[in-house]
Amino acid sequence: KNQVEQSPQSLIILEGKNCTLQCNYTVSPFSNLRWYKQDTGRGPVSLTIMTFSENTKSNGRYTATLDADTKQSSLHITASQLSDSASYICVVSARFGNEKLTFGTGTRLTIIP
Amino acid sequence: ETGVTQTPRHLVMGMTNKKSLKCEQHLGHNAMYWYKQSAKKPLELMFVYSLEERVENNSVPSRFSPECPNSSHLFLHLHTLQPEDSALYLCASSQDSTGGEYGYTFGSGTRLTVV
């Protein structure tokens, strides 16, 4: 069964600090992995998308890594800001003609001043 | 706004009511989706439409009835819901049902409360 597990479930850090969120998956055949940011009361917004051959991808202060051998991904946030407070969802795609997405439950990140 | 607009943003309905959720996208996408997001659970795919045809129905109870009159609009008709149906209902679109190069664009969702 395809699964995506994220850790930690929740995280609180001081503004300006860095943090790393983890995503482990058992999805096959693997197509791509996406990180989404979901603000409270809003829909998810895509941060990065990574395919099998990509090890790292950055989007501003967000850097995602992918290790396809160990089936792990991380999202590193540098110099956190209050606006980074949100849920971060890891989504892994399997490709069977149409795309099948498996969602993680997300990490709830809170940035405090 | 992301280009996918959902209305209403909030909805409270009784178990005997009939209501509809609306989703509209102006991105030129050909595939649209309904997802259910309950607290502390992963997003659950409900329905997939590609070029206005339903291509996936993930064992969703018949009290949820989707409608896709054209590639820009998607509705979710609700009737005789249960309290456990209370959740955030998200609409999404993509270039095609393979997800496309740019993935999925989500709306802001409708927060549904069934009383």
Side-chain angles (χ1 to χ4, degrees), chain A residues 2-113:
Chain A
N2 289 342
Q3 285 188 314
V4 174
E5 294 185 357
Q6 292 187 243
S7 62
Q9 275 194 332
S10 61
L11 181 62
I12 302 173
I13 64 172
L14 289 173
E15 184 180 10
K17 298 296 186 183
N18 305 334
C19 67
T20 301
L21 315 180
Q22 300 290 344
C23 173
N24 297 338
Y25 62 91
T26 53
V27 174
S28 66
F30 177 86
S31 177
N32 58 63
L33 183 148
R34 300 181 175 102
W35 283 94
Y36 282 87
K37 178 186 179 187
Q38 185 174 20
D39 293 316
T40 301
R42 312 288 293 185
V45 175
S46 180
L47 293 176
T48 63
I49 177 171
M50 301 180 72
T51 58
F52 186 87
S53 59
E54 295 176 295
N55 299 120
T56 184
K57 182 170 281 189
S58 293
N59 177 1
R61 294 179 296 102
Y62 301 102
T63 299
T65 65
L66 175 64
D67 186 333
D69 292 331
T70 62
K71 296 184 169 57
Q72 295 180 326
S73 175
S74 66
L75 180 69
H76 186 74
I77 304 175
T78 305
S80 61
Q81 300 176 358
L82 296 178
S83 59
D84 293 329
S85 295
S87 287
Y88 291 83
I89 303 173
C90 176
V91 185
V92 183
S93 165
R95 182 67 61 91
F96 298 97
N98 287 338
E99 195 171 46
K100 300 289 185 182
L101 302 182
T102 303
F103 289 80
T105 54
T107 292
R108 178 70 204 174
L109 177 64
T110 303
I111 311 298
I112 57 175

